[in-house]
Amino acid sequence: MAIRVAIVGTGNIARSHVQSLQSLGEEEVELVGAVDIDDDRLSAFCEQYGLRNGYDNVADLLEKDQPQLVHVCTPPGAHAEVALKCLRAGVNVVVEKPPTLTLAEFDTLVEAEKESSAWLATIFQHRFGSGALRLQELMAEGVLGRPLVAICNTLWFRDQAYFDVVWRGRWDTEGGGPTMGHGIHQIDLLSAIMGRWTEVSAIARQQARTTDTEDVTMGTVAFANGAIASMVNSILSPREESYLRFDFEYATVEVSHLYGYGDGNWTITPAKGYEDKVLPAWEAGPHGTRSGFVAQFPEVLKAVREGTPPPVTSSESRRTLELVAATYASAFQRRPIRPEDLGPDSPFYQRMEGDGPRW
């Protein structure tokens, strides 16, 4: 039976969500309604995608359409409020990145999730391409040996006009700059591969754009498995690239793309003497799935249908959000940050900019 899905927020990202959901077929998804505070945008959205009902508030949507799953596609500042209403109504919710503006907001959702029959998931689609799945399989099987060194770079370009949109480049509406709004995709994949982080050292700068937030961060991360990684998050880079590299004992694995990868974006380089062990295992792993909504959404729908935890659970999302908070905390306090430094007493728990940037 098709899962009843609703959309909150009908901007550009919502269109990508709906197109991906519709590509899965009517037997999988029934789009039942949408919410937006802009009547004209809402009407055009519903007409274009064949949604029967449009609302200006979430409460009416939940009561009248009774969705099983809500996709939150609003600007980031509204994510927490919408997700909280869904969880309190017992409706599963999947939230665009970043899931919330702060750790404090996210923990409010975690508490609501514990008291609800529903769950909270986050859109982190790069976990679901076959390249990432193949890498994780080989790690689990011990084919690659210990993880040692990683690189996680988001080198994108956004001109000043991009930040002239009223809610962009502001701590109170977007939660941060490229670290929060752009690099978080690659940071999440780094987190999914490497697991629990233990220490972050970082710097942040306002190099070229006029914004409240940073336009670039650089940092190093230590992980519980003993690996270390470098990170760059930039919107100042004319040759754009999303790049992750993982150096293991027996091989280097790399992916270079921009907004989504396929199998051709991955390369593997065995260490000398390990070619016969590494290359056949790499070729035998999962193939054929690009990272993107169409890769993640079937797994989300499966969790709704089977009553199982969703892909990218709240605990996994929090680990990624905490790594972003640690990057800001280290940059602005000019010291290494460990997870225990980000408790409720930390200014960076309540706000990503903490007690104020010191550029």
Side-chain angles (χ1 to χ4, degrees), residues 69 92-99 106 110 113 119-129 132-133 136 184-185 187-189 191-193 292-293 295-301 303 308-321:
L69 175 67
N92 301 303
V93 59
V94 58
V95 183
E96 258 296 340
K97 61 80 188 169
F106 195 86
V110 170
E113 183 184 41
W119 44 247
L120 169 72
T122 304
I123 298 295
F124 282 131
Q125 65 268 33
H126 291 331
R127 293 181 178 221
F128 297 89
L133 299 178
Q136 289 175 308
I184 195 170
H185 281 300
I187 292 171
D188 179 72
L189 183 53
S191 178
I193 299 299
F293 295 154
Q296 182 172 0
F297 288 178
E299 299 303 317
V300 175
L301 295 172
T308 56
V312 196
T313 61
S314 57
S315 62
E316 292 173 310
S317 297
R318 193 188 191 284
R319 184 174 64 194
T320 296
L321 195 65

Side-chain angles (χ1 to χ4, degrees), residues 23-341:
S23 74
L24 301 177
E26 294 181 356
E27 68 279 2
E28 291 291 322
V29 177
E30 179 187 0
L31 292 168
V32 297
V35 173
D36 204 299
I37 58 175
D38 185 317
D39 290 340
D40 292 339
R41 184 169 58 200
L42 176 63
S43 296
F45 184 87
C46 290
E47 181 177 357
Q48 180 176 358
Y49 296 109
L51 278 75
R52 297 188 303 272
N53 302 318
Y55 306 93
D56 63 5
N57 68 89
V58 175
D60 284 348
L61 169 77
L62 296 176
E63 179 184 352
K64 296 177 182 179
D65 282 341
Q66 298 184 341
Q68 297 167 275
L69 175 67
V70 170
H71 283 231
V72 180
C73 301
T74 64
H79 287 179
E81 179 182 0
V82 175
L84 188 60
K85 289 179 179 178
C86 293
L87 291 171
R88 286 176 173 170
V91 178
N92 301 303
V93 59
V94 58
V95 183
E96 258 296 340
K97 61 80 188 169
T100 61
L101 299 186
T102 69
L103 290 172
E105 280 188 346
F106 195 86
D107 285 349
T108 298
L109 297 184
V110 170
E111 290 305 311
E113 183 184 41
K114 291 177 181 177
E115 298 172 359
S116 176
S117 58
W119 44 247
L120 169 72
T122 304
I123 298 295
F124 282 131
Q125 65 268 33
H126 291 331
R127 293 181 178 221
F128 297 89
S130 51
L133 299 178
R134 195 182 327 155
L135 173 55
Q136 289 175 308
E137 278 193 6
L138 266 62
M139 289 179 66
E141 294 166 359
V143 172
L144 302 175
R146 291 191 302 120
L148 302 172
V149 180
I151 297 172
C152 178
N153 289 347
T154 301
L155 302 171
W156 292 4
F157 185 85
R158 298 293 185 268
D159 62 14
Q160 186 59 48
Y162 175 87
F163 290 100
D164 291 339
V165 175
V166 65
W167 56 267
R168 287 194 177 130
R170 290 169 46 185
W171 298 103
D172 62 336
T173 56
E174 202 170 16
T179 315
M180 182 72 146
H182 304 84
I184 195 170
H185 281 300
Q186 277 62 247
I187 292 171
D188 179 72
L189 183 53
L190 176 72
S191 178
I193 299 299
M194 288 298 185
R196 183 169 61 88
W197 66 273
T198 58
E199 187 172 280
V200 176
S201 295
I203 60 172
R205 292 287 187 270
Q206 290 179 325
Q207 291 286 86
R209 301 292 177 259
T210 301
T211 70
D212 292 336
T213 68
E214 88 286 2
D215 55 20
V216 63
T217 59
M218 295 184 177
T220 58
V221 187
F223 293 91
N225 63 12
I228 54 174
S230 67
M231 296 191 306
V232 180
N233 301 287
S234 165
I235 46 80
L236 306 175
S237 306
R239 189 185 76 78
E240 297 184 284
E241 181 182 37
S242 302
Y243 175 73
L244 289 99
R245 171 176 172 146
F246 303 92
D247 291 329
F248 297 87
E249 286 182 289
Y250 309 140
T252 291
V253 181
E254 300 167 89
V255 59
S256 175
H257 64 105
L258 188 52
Y259 301 135
Y261 63 77
D263 290 336
N265 296 105
W266 290 81
T267 60
I268 187 165
T269 306
K272 187 175 181 179
Y274 288 89
E275 295 87 350
D276 291 344
K277 176 181 180 181
V278 168
L279 292 179
W282 181 256
E283 291 302 318
H287 281 77
T289 301
R290 289 189 61 84
S291 68
F293 295 154
V294 176
Q296 182 172 0
F297 288 178
E299 299 303 317
V300 175
L301 295 172
K302 180 181 178 183
V304 176
R305 185 172 288 111
E306 297 181 357
T308 56
V312 196
T313 61
S314 57
S315 62
E316 292 173 310
S317 297
R318 193 188 191 284
R319 184 174 64 194
T320 296
L321 195 65
E322 188 181 53
L323 183 48
V324 172
T327 301
Y328 287 130
S330 177
F332 296 146
Q333 292 191 336
R334 292 180 171 83
R335 67 183 181 94
I337 295 294
R338 301 178 66 84
E340 56 266 29
D341 297 323

